[in-house]
Amino acid sequence: MTSSSSSVVSARNLCLTYQTNDGPVHALSNVDLDVGKGDFVSFIGPSGCGKTTFLRAIADLEKKTSGDLTVNGMSPEDAREKRSYGYVFQAPALYPWRTIEKNIALPLEIMGHSKDEQKRRVAQTLELVNLNGFEHKYPWQLSGGMQQRASIARALAFDADLLLMDEPFGALDEIVRDYLNEQLLKLWARTNKTICFVTHSIPEAVYLSTKIVVMSPRPGRVTDIIDSTLPAERPLGIRETPEFLEIAHRVREGLRAGHSYEE
Ligand code: ADP
Ligand code: MG
């Protein structure tokens, strides 16, 4: 296990409780986790187990209730000010009146980068997500998968080492998702990013990750952390190998153990 000082994300006894009219909701309860540099960590679990809350806490969009959370050794607030992460939301959230190029450049524009620098970075990130040639299109002229790639490009544009991705491919069909999973692994290998990735899909989590965090709701908590034994090089066919199926089985068992059938 990586020591917390060299971790990109480190949580110790992390608790986050929302106060609501119906009383407190324990979205995260005593979460202990280290995400090492260059790790690809997936968070998997049923709705309401705190996956989004955890990403939002890392991004300083929610405040912890108690415990410790550091991002690159800093408080989430300091890390946000240093623009330590890119965030990819569940829906692409592109502005329909801006071209793909202008959508990707928006955060760079806000950060005050020169026009030349914006152009350079847009071209570079479009290349990374295989969207060269589409810079002058509008989002609605692109397929769902291409729009999601554009929003990944936007998150990559300011070159943060940490990428937070909340079910980025959840709304896409399986063929497109397979393709994007492969692309994302290649991108991860090429860029050396650290990725925290939320998903509902067991095959997706096992295919992509170096580490799989299984979560369970009420209270939101981590029930298993699985270090993947799969090699770095992963053709899609790896999903039929015994090693892959064994990890998938352990994830499924973890999900089942934490599941309540009350609802
Ligand atoms: P997941 O992403 O795993 O589906 P969330 O992190 O969105 O789970 O939510 C965890 C729990 O916290 C759920 O019970 C959810 O209803 C609750 N929750 C999430 N956001 C808020 C909020 N802003 N206010 C109150 N409760 C919230
Ligand atoms: Mg969520």
Side-chain angles (χ1 to χ4, degrees):
M1 196 167 184
T2 342
S3 81
S4 61
S5 56
S6 65
S7 294
V8 175
V9 176
S10 175
R12 290 286 172 278
N13 270 320
L14 179 68
C15 297
L16 197 152
T17 303
Y18 294 108
Q19 298 301 338
T20 73
N21 292 336
D22 301 327
V25 175
H26 300 287
L28 296 172
S29 170
N30 295 308
V31 171
D32 282 312
L33 184 71
D34 281 295
V35 176
K37 194 165 168 34
D39 271 351
F40 194 126
V41 180
S42 285
F43 297 85
I44 188 165
S47 284
C49 68
K51 305 180 296 293
T52 295
T53 299
F54 191 54
L55 285 202
R56 290 178 58 85
I58 296 169
D60 194 40
L61 300 171
E62 302 290 348
K63 298 282 179 205
K64 70 180 183 190
T65 306
S66 63
D68 292 311
L69 177 64
T70 60
V71 180
N72 288 333
M74 292 172 262
S75 70
E77 192 178 352
D78 290 344
R80 175 170 53 79
E81 277 162 13
K82 292 202 154 56
R83 303 183 194 282
S84 302
Y85 62 83
Y87 206 118
V88 181
F89 297 92
Q90 209 161 341
L94 300 165
Y95 292 110
W97 60 87
R98 284 187 159 238
T99 60
I100 293 304
E101 175 181 58
K102 291 266 160 59
N103 264 289
I104 298 172
L106 184 60
L108 302 172
E109 221 172 285
I110 293 169
M111 283 160 68
H113 288 286
S114 71
K115 286 271 175 234
D116 281 353
E117 180 65 7
Q118 288 180 33
K119 269 215 145 16
R120 194 184 66 76
R121 292 198 183 201
V122 168
Q124 197 178 28
T125 49
L126 279 172
E127 167 106 47
L128 277 172
V129 299
N130 274 333
L131 273 183
N132 344 40
F134 292 90
E135 42 272 71
H136 302 306
K137 299 274 190 217
Y138 287 89
W140 41 271
Q141 295 177 302
L142 269 55
S143 69
M146 289 164 101
Q147 289 181 30
Q148 204 45 292
R149 271 145 67 198
S151 69
I152 293 171
R154 182 180 50 190
L156 290 168
F158 43 93
D159 207 24
D161 290 335
L162 173 63
L163 206 49
L164 306 172
M165 307 179 82
D166 195 352
E167 298 193 49
F169 309 140
L172 304 171
D173 69 57
E174 224 170 309
I175 307 289
V176 174
R177 183 191 278 228
D178 278 0
Y179 171 71
L180 292 182
N181 279 180
E182 248 186 324
Q183 294 289 313
L184 181 59
L185 266 193
K186 286 188 183 143
L187 186 149
W188 170 69
R190 247 185 302 167
T191 57
N192 265 322
K193 303 270 178 213
T194 306
I195 300 186
C196 292
F197 185 95
V198 169
T199 180
H200 267 114
S201 157
I202 297 175
E204 186 171 68
V206 179
Y207 177 70
L208 292 172
S209 315
T210 56
K211 190 184 274 201
I212 303 156
V213 179
V214 183
M215 295 178 72
S216 149
R218 284 177 300 273
R221 63 199 187 278
V222 172
T223 50
D224 197 8
I225 299 176
I226 302 164
D227 286 307
S228 180
T229 49
L230 296 178
E233 187 70 30
R234 299 179 187 180
L236 279 173
I238 203 166
R239 297 179 302 181
E240 271 111 68
T241 63
E243 294 95 312
F244 185 98
L245 296 173
E246 199 173 302
I247 300 170
H249 177 75
R250 180 160 159 201
V251 175
R252 190 168 290 113
E253 290 291 298
L255 290 171
R256 195 173 290 151
H259 193 77
S260 113
Y261 292 93
E262 281 155 25
E263 57 238 275

